[in-house]
Amino acid sequence: MLPLTQRLKEILLRDNLVSAQDIERALEEQKVNGGELSSILLKFKLISEDQLSIVISEALGIPIINLASFKIDPAVLKLVHRSVAQTYQLLPLSMIGDQLTIAIMDPLNVFAIDNVRAVTGMSINTVMAMPKDIKTTIDRLYAEDTKTSLDEILKDIKESEELELVKETSGALDKKEIENLLQEAPIITLTNAIIQQAILAKASDVFIEPLEEALRIRYRIDGLIREIDRMSKTLHFPIISRIKVISNLDIAEHRLPQDGRFRVNNPGGKEVDFRVNVLPTALGEKIVLRVLDKSLDILDIDKLGFEPDSLARLKECCQKPHGMILACGPTGSGKTTTLYSILQHIDSPGKNIITVEDPVEFQIKGFNQVNIRTEVGLTFPSALRSILRQDPDVILIGEIRDSDTLDIAVKAALTGHLVTSSLHTTTSAGSITRMINMGVEPFLICSSVIAIVAQRLVRQLCLKCREVYTLSKEGIEQFHVNELMPGHNMMFYRPKGCDKCFNTGYKGRIGITETFVLSSKIRELILAQASEREIKTCAREQGMKTMREDAVIKACRGFTSLEEVVRLTVTD
């Protein structure tokens, strides 16, 4: 009998679904990066999901069933949580003894089948169904089970003998015994629910925190932290340990901080990376998960919220053959996203792009990404010295933290490399003063720095419930609306709150920026060691809009509210 890959190839070519060149391209991708051939065909959009299902059905000899003819017992449906069914596009059909039969669009997805086996504790048989039928049936049958809270799962866990065993004996168990307990269905289901809810809520961070008598779960959504749930303190150890297991961390280490990462699929099937940090506290270990959802189109420079004139100035600077472009702002202001977007914009097969980060946030194909490991001596300065011997065209430095890193970055920009990096300063002009204080001579700044982007993230108004109002005459003068948006009708929007935005009035975030380009006059001021205010005034005279002005323009266009403008910016 022919190997599965060969059978798939023959059927695809026989039915003229793909060309021989397409097959070779997919096989080459599989050889380089691994993965299932079926997933690669879908990724390259060489074949539709329906066509792939028919091909796999013939290759494996597994018939495709009609889900409309099945009546599924609600008790069987409850064996698999809705989030699991949506994530892996599968449906439990029937149960006989300890055998569970599921309908799945891709029976080659071993990870999905293993996950269902772990959650249910049953042996799994598979049949195939068309993707659209599975999706429709999931939406229909789970319609009455749309709870996103964790109450039902927590009830199951409270009744679990395995949890009681963990509670009573966790201090005496060895590493292997703990790992075995963490494979029990209730803990897996609870941890998966916390993770999947964070993705659905578009949270940027998940906080799992031990309190004196409870375990608190909080999400950071649109920049603000919200408490989602409080659970029994007995859940703390198994949840923390389960996350350590999937992050490849040491579950027996409770005294030292640890860093890791893991990857899951969101309900739409796209990959989401989680960066994990474990911190020992007085009440037990606290975990923070940074959600890095690559499916949100956040790496497109045209979608970051730059005003057209600022975007044009930045794109022009990106095309320079050498020099330094800096992004500045506080933690969580989107600096790394801006730097990645710049690299995506200028990326081409003819450029050697290398990044050095602590840690690598997004793993992007085509980029050579270096993860800093200070424990073995791989620091920013040591990595950069080696990178410069790799003949790079573009270098991304995750953050300039010390004078050694800054010195190497400046020299790299002076010797024919385009360098992008970030600084923790509040304004673009303030970055000049910061670099001088770190020991860089003004003439080197003038010769190396091309542009500096200062930025923040403001919350976007919910389009479903925002309220319109007319700004008063005093407000028009306070925010200089006539100067920034001549002819504006003075109609602004404010938050109200609805079920789509958690009653906050806001949904999503957008960047406010100031793009500071070093002109010849600004370079003269830097050489003369002019003050930050003088440099900023000159930049504004040459067309730079400050973050405050950029935010007011976005409020005029209905993207955000003036309350957000006041909260996140200062008067120029």
Side-chain angles (χ1 to χ4, degrees):
M1 188 174 183
L2 291 174
L4 177 60
T5 299
Q6 185 63 30
R7 295 203 304 276
L8 288 173
K9 181 178 177 180
E10 287 187 355
I11 297 170
L12 289 168
L13 293 174
R14 182 199 68 197
D15 295 344
N16 295 320
L17 295 174
V18 296
S19 65
Q21 291 80 6
D22 289 335
I23 289 286
E24 293 306 317
R25 177 187 169 199
L27 291 174
E28 183 64 28
E29 172 72 12
Q30 185 183 44
K31 181 179 178 182
V32 173
N33 296 313
E36 298 289 347
L37 178 61
S38 56
S39 300
I40 296 171
L41 293 171
L42 289 176
K43 173 186 169 184
F44 287 168
K45 297 182 180 179
L46 299 174
I47 191 172
S48 70
E49 288 185 337
D50 288 350
Q51 290 173 325
L52 180 61
S53 296
I54 294 171
V55 171
I56 292 176
S57 171
E58 181 178 346
L60 295 178
I62 300 176
I64 295 178
I65 66 169
N66 180 9
L67 289 177
S69 63
F70 275 82
K71 185 176 181 181
I72 302 175
D73 187 338
V76 173
L77 200 66
K78 288 182 178 181
L79 292 173
V80 178
H81 193 265
R82 177 182 181 134
S83 63
V84 176
Q86 289 180 322
T87 299
Y88 300 114
Q89 286 298 287
L90 56 84
L91 197 69
L93 294 180
S94 63
M95 176 180 64
I96 301 176
D98 65 347
Q99 300 280 328
L100 176 66
T101 299
I102 64 171
I104 187 170
M105 61 174 286
D106 183 5
L108 302 177
N109 190 337
V110 178
F111 183 80
I113 295 169
D114 285 347
N115 197 293
V116 176
R117 184 183 294 113
V119 168
T120 61
M122 306 177 74
S123 299
I124 306 299
N125 295 323
T126 59
V127 296
M128 290 188 64
M130 298 297 281
K132 61 183 179 182
D133 291 341
I134 293 177
K135 184 179 184 306
T136 302
T137 308
I138 288 174
D139 292 341
R140 175 171 56 83
L141 295 182
Y142 282 98
E144 298 178 359
D145 183 26
T146 58
K147 291 184 290 184
T148 57
S149 72
L150 305 177
D151 294 343
E152 184 175 330
I153 299 171
L154 290 174
K155 180 181 177 182
D156 293 340
I157 290 181
K158 287 177 182 177
E159 298 169 354
S160 168
E161 294 179 2
E162 289 82 2
L163 178 61
E164 290 303 314
L165 182 58
V166 171
K167 174 183 173 183
E168 294 170 6
T169 65
S170 59
L173 296 176
D174 63 25
K175 185 174 180 179
K176 185 63 178 176
E177 290 172 319
I178 293 173
E179 288 179 343
N180 290 337
L181 287 173
L182 294 174
Q183 298 305 315
E184 299 296 342
I187 297 302
I188 292 177
T189 305
L190 175 58
T191 307
N192 287 349
I194 293 171
I195 292 169
Q196 291 296 337
Q197 281 191 84
I199 296 172
L200 291 171
K202 291 184 171 56
S204 60
D205 300 273
V206 179
F207 302 86
I208 303 174
E209 305 163 309
L211 305 179
E212 287 189 357
E213 298 180 353
L215 178 66
R216 180 171 64 181
I217 309 296
R218 297 192 294 170
Y219 295 163
R220 186 185 295 278
I221 302 173
D222 297 337
L224 298 181
I225 297 178
R226 301 172 191 164
E227 183 170 324
I228 302 300
D229 214 327
R230 289 200 181 198
M231 308 176 184
S232 168
K233 186 67 178 284
T234 57
L235 291 168
H236 174 245
F237 176 79
I239 291 177
I240 295 293
S241 298
R242 174 62 186 168
I243 292 177
K244 284 184 179 181
V245 167
I246 63 178
S247 306
N248 294 317
L249 300 179
D250 186 354
I251 61 175
E253 177 58 69
H254 307 290
R255 300 164 299 173
L256 298 174
Q258 296 188 68
D259 292 294
R261 66 190 306 144
F262 63 91
R263 179 177 294 172
V264 300
N265 290 331
N266 69 13
K270 298 292 183 66
E271 290 181 342
V272 181
D273 286 341
F274 282 79
R275 199 174 75 202
V276 182
N277 178 262
V278 184
L279 179 69
T281 71
L283 298 175
E285 290 177 294
K286 170 184 175 179
I287 278 188
V288 176
L289 309 178
R290 170 62 61 87
V291 186
L292 305 170
D293 190 346
K294 293 182 286 188
S295 67
L296 298 179
D297 293 327
I298 59 174
L299 300 182
D300 187 340
I301 196 171
D302 294 310
K303 298 180 180 180
L304 296 184
F306 283 91
E307 290 298 311
D309 55 341
S310 297
L311 182 60
R313 287 154 62 93
L314 180 59
K315 284 185 174 180
E316 183 180 350
C317 293
C318 292
Q319 300 305 319
K320 302 284 186 183
H322 56 82
M324 184 185 296
I325 299 174
L326 296 172
C328 64
T331 300
S333 60
K335 300 186 297 296
T336 302
T337 298
T338 297
L339 295 178
Y340 277 139
S341 300
I342 290 172
L343 263 58
Q344 286 276 66
H345 176 66
I346 63 177
D347 184 27
S348 70
K351 289 186 177 178
N352 180 16
I353 298 177
I354 304 179
T355 79
V356 51
E357 306 165 68
D358 183 21
V360 172
E361 292 200 7
F362 291 101
Q363 294 176 346
I364 304 175
K365 289 185 178 180
F367 293 1
N368 305 283
Q369 296 175 276
V370 179
N371 217 338
I372 291 301
R373 296 180 61 191
T374 54
E375 70 274 11
V376 296
L378 183 58
T379 62
F380 276 111
S382 63
L384 284 170
R385 291 187 185 98
S386 180
I387 285 171
L388 290 174
R389 293 191 286 271
Q390 292 276 324
D391 190 26
D393 296 297
V394 184
I395 303 171
L396 183 150
I397 305 170
E399 181 184 348
I400 294 178
R401 300 175 179 173
D402 52 59
S403 56
D404 286 344
T405 305
L406 179 58
D407 180 62
I408 298 171
V410 168
K411 289 177 180 176
L414 291 172
T415 54
H417 306 88
L418 182 63
V419 179
T420 63
S421 188
S422 66
L423 272 177
H424 279 286
T425 54
T426 55
T427 64
S428 53
S431 298
I432 303 296
T433 305
R434 170 70 172 149
M435 285 188 283
I436 292 174
N437 290 339
M438 292 176 72
V440 180
E441 294 292 339
F443 75 90
L444 290 176
I445 295 175
C446 293
S447 301
S448 60
V449 178
I450 305 172
I452 303 172
V453 178
Q455 62 186 78
R456 301 287 188 279
L457 293 175
V458 297
R459 291 182 293 171
Q460 284 187 274
L461 287 165
C462 175
L463 297 178
K464 182 181 178 182
C465 65
R466 63 180 183 176
E467 289 184 331
V468 66
Y469 70 99
T470 303
L471 187 64
S472 65
K473 183 178 179 181
E474 293 78 11
I476 293 170
E477 294 176 354
Q478 176 187 351
F479 292 102
H480 306 288
V481 175
N482 287 327
E483 293 89 338
L484 294 172
M485 294 286 285
H488 184 63
N489 59 12
M490 305 309 156
M491 304 301 289
F492 284 78
Y493 293 89
R494 58 189 167 209
K496 180 181 179 182
C498 66
D499 57 343
K500 294 293 184 182
C501 60
F502 298 97
N503 290 313
T504 63
Y506 297 96
K507 189 173 183 181
R509 289 189 291 175
I510 191 171
I512 55 172
T513 62
E514 57 183 41
T515 304
F516 174 76
V517 179
L518 273 69
S519 64
S520 57
K521 187 173 181 180
I522 289 174
R523 290 189 168 92
E524 290 175 4
L525 290 173
I526 294 173
L527 288 172
Q529 298 190 21
S531 67
E532 178 183 336
R533 179 177 291 275
E534 290 175 305
I535 294 173
K536 184 175 181 178
T537 299
C538 178
R540 293 183 68 182
E541 289 173 352
Q542 295 181 355
M544 183 190 82
K545 288 186 173 62
T546 65
M547 279 187 289
R548 176 82 166 200
E549 292 169 337
D550 192 63
V552 171
I553 291 172
K554 287 180 170 55
C556 291
R557 292 177 174 168
F559 293 131
T560 191
S561 66
L562 290 175
E563 289 84 357
E564 277 289 282
V565 173
V566 173
R567 185 176 72 88
L568 284 170
T569 63
V570 296
T571 305
D572 298 320

